[in-house]
Amino acid sequence: MTVNMPAKRTITIVGGGVIGLTTAYALIQAGHDVTLIEREDNVGLQASFGNGGQLSYRYVRPLADAGVPLDAVSWMFRAGSPISLKLRPDWHQWRWLLDFLAACNARTNQKNASILLKLALRSQETLHQWQQDGLDGFLWRQPGKLVVYRNAAKFKKAAKAVTNPQQEQVLTPQECARIEPAFASLAPRLAGGIFSPDDEVADCHLFCQSLLTALHSHPSFRLLRGEARLEGGENDRCRITIEGVKHETDVIVLAAGLASRALVKPLDIALPLYGLKGYSLTVQADDAVLPTVSVTDYDNRVVYARLGNRLRLAAMVDIGALDASINPERIEHLKRLASETLPAAGPYTSAATWAGMRPATPTGVPIIAQTPWKNLLLNIGHGALGFTLSVGSALTIRDLVEGMHS
């Protein structure tokens, strides 16, 4: 019996964040020759560097949801609001916002959440396989995730949406305190919580480094540093240059985050990506005062994840920010909120600060697809879920590559 094996191809991936690296790893494992292009001095230095550290496989609802526009209006008048909006004379921003508002309804949110859940669970299953194969060194744990709600109406809505009590447990405030004693003082202010025992945490930047180390062990992998450029070519195939030098390849996978918008402009492709700035704090602390369970303070949109002997806090969405520079007022508010919520895990005054631009689509669903250019694939637009969805997205690209015609 003859088995038709997928054709071996030379594949070039643009972007050395968690999306590009997992894509490279999946394609190397499938037997392809892979070149990864990264313009920074190292991999994982943009949105992958200081994210929240949560692998929230069962809590992947998009930001666009019923009630979010009304919440956003109320937040505009509140200092330190979870979402801030700065309107600009920018057609792309307005188009993105209009599409975002169109997605802010329960039906669309439920449909898109279902898409994300399938991608997330595929990510989790395969990451575990990669770990069994030897990938490690990124502070992975499976402590579960606790989402706590201060607002009774929002908790009631979230509890009603739970369909599998084994995977998502609806808890009273007292039960929340027992699940994670570090947050026990918060119990009197809570309406309740939802605990997902199978969710995980890890350091995304260390994950990127582990992937790169594993990739370097393969003779069919190489890393090139420099600026990539795309341009149109013949027979509906685009061309790529690196630092002005033509680069020959069978397939190009664009995984360059927010920079992908500019890269495809010469190809007459308009990507619905917008940068949502997020912030994080990383606190060195005594193990005894750090929470074990990963926690999300839903009403304040703050996540807490223990990574080794450090605590990572991530929060906020700034819509309309022009770059990843740190806004001191946003950081100071996050420090104050953390001090009130989890005072024993400080000192927050000496915490390392970070801000990053998360490349988001209006719907929250990433774009993992072939383009009108026969040799160009996209793996972009993961927003705040890049780490969680990265492995499943990489497998989707692998499947697309192996279904391509020569």
Side-chain angles (χ1 to χ4, degrees):
M1 180 178 177
T2 302
V3 178
N4 293 322
M5 298 296 292
K8 182 175 183 177
R9 290 186 168 91
T10 59
I11 302 171
T12 299
I13 300 166
V14 183
V18 70
I19 302 299
L21 285 158
T22 49
T23 302
Y25 192 74
L27 290 168
I28 280 285
Q29 287 196 319
H32 300 287
D33 291 330
V34 176
T35 298
L36 181 69
I37 303 172
E38 172 53 50
R39 65 183 181 181
E40 301 286 349
D41 292 336
N42 207 334
V43 298
L45 294 182
Q46 295 296 317
S48 301
F49 184 78
N51 71 15
Q54 289 186 338
L55 292 165
S56 302
Y57 295 116
R58 283 165 182 80
Y59 192 85
V60 286
R61 301 192 74 85
L63 178 64
D65 194 4
V68 169
L70 188 60
D71 283 343
V73 170
S74 66
W75 286 333
M76 286 181 192
F77 302 100
R78 187 176 121 197
S81 62
I83 298 178
S84 74
L85 172 63
K86 185 175 181 61
L87 294 174
R88 299 187 179 278
D90 174 2
W91 166 245
H92 182 76
Q93 183 197 53
W94 283 87
R95 176 60 187 269
W96 190 93
L97 287 170
L98 288 171
D99 289 343
F100 175 79
L101 290 172
C104 285
N105 61 82
R107 184 175 181 179
T108 300
N109 181 272
Q110 186 176 14
K111 180 187 74 173
N112 292 333
S114 177
I115 295 170
L116 295 176
L117 180 61
K118 289 178 183 177
L119 194 58
L121 294 180
R122 193 182 189 195
S123 285
Q124 184 179 36
E125 180 183 5
T126 304
L127 177 58
H128 292 174
Q129 183 60 57
W130 289 1
Q131 289 176 286
Q132 290 175 20
D133 294 342
L135 191 67
D136 62 6
F138 47 97
L139 301 177
W140 176 90
R141 291 186 303 120
Q142 192 176 45
K145 175 179 175 176
L146 175 64
V147 183
V148 296
Y149 294 82
R150 300 169 187 250
N151 181 283
K154 290 177 181 176
F155 171 61
K156 185 177 179 180
K157 178 183 175 183
K160 195 174 180 180
V162 171
T163 57
N164 189 327
Q166 289 186 327
Q167 294 178 346
E168 291 183 295
Q169 303 166 11
V170 179
L171 306 178
T172 66
Q174 294 72 29
E175 289 170 332
C176 291
R178 285 197 292 270
I179 288 286
E180 182 43 74
F183 284 84
S185 62
L186 199 61
R189 288 171 279 169
L190 296 182
I194 296 176
F195 181 57
S196 303
D198 294 334
D199 278 352
E200 304 162 9
V201 298
D203 187 308
C204 186
H205 182 244
L206 291 181
F207 182 54
C208 290
Q209 297 293 328
S210 296
L211 285 166
L212 184 61
T213 298
L215 285 165
H216 276 310
S217 70
H218 290 266
S220 52
F221 172 79
R222 63 174 174 162
L223 173 66
L224 298 180
R225 303 192 189 280
E227 291 280 351
R229 294 284 185 270
L230 300 178
E231 59 184 20
E234 299 176 349
N235 301 318
D236 294 328
R237 297 177 65 83
C238 63
R239 296 189 296 260
I240 184 170
T241 60
I242 305 170
E243 296 295 325
V245 178
K246 186 178 179 181
H247 177 72
E248 296 291 345
T249 187
D250 295 330
V251 181
I252 302 165
V253 181
L254 187 56
L258 201 57
S260 302
R261 275 180 57 199
L263 284 167
V264 297
K265 276 188 177 179
L267 305 177
D268 292 325
I269 297 174
L271 297 177
L273 290 184
Y274 201 74
L276 305 183
K277 186 193 285 189
Y279 299 84
S280 76
L281 303 176
T282 304
V283 185
Q284 288 288 145
D286 187 332
D287 287 357
V289 298
L290 292 179
T292 297
V293 170
S294 167
V295 175
T296 295
D297 180 351
Y298 180 84
D299 298 270
N300 288 303
R301 301 298 200 276
V302 181
V303 304
Y304 299 80
R306 175 180 175 175
L307 304 174
N309 64 346
R310 296 171 297 144
L311 179 67
R312 173 71 50 79
L313 299 85
M316 302 175 183
V317 175
D318 286 359
I319 304 173
L322 295 177
D323 54 42
S325 59
I326 290 175
N327 181 331
E329 292 181 3
R330 299 291 264 167
I331 288 292
E332 287 307 311
H333 175 77
L334 182 55
K335 288 179 178 179
R336 286 195 299 272
L337 184 60
S339 297
E340 295 167 3
T341 305
L342 194 62
Y348 295 102
T349 53
S350 58
T353 59
W354 175 86
M357 300 292 281
R358 299 171 292 202
T361 64
T363 63
V365 177
I367 303 169
I368 312 169
Q370 191 160 6
T371 70
W373 299 89
K374 294 178 180 178
N375 61 331
L376 178 63
L377 301 175
L378 302 176
N379 193 4
I380 55 174
H382 297 74
L385 292 171
F387 193 11
T388 297
L389 303 178
S390 60
V391 179
S393 300
L395 298 183
T396 305
I397 289 291
R398 181 200 65 190
D399 295 345
L400 288 171
V401 166
E402 294 181 351
M404 294 172 74
H405 299 293
S406 300

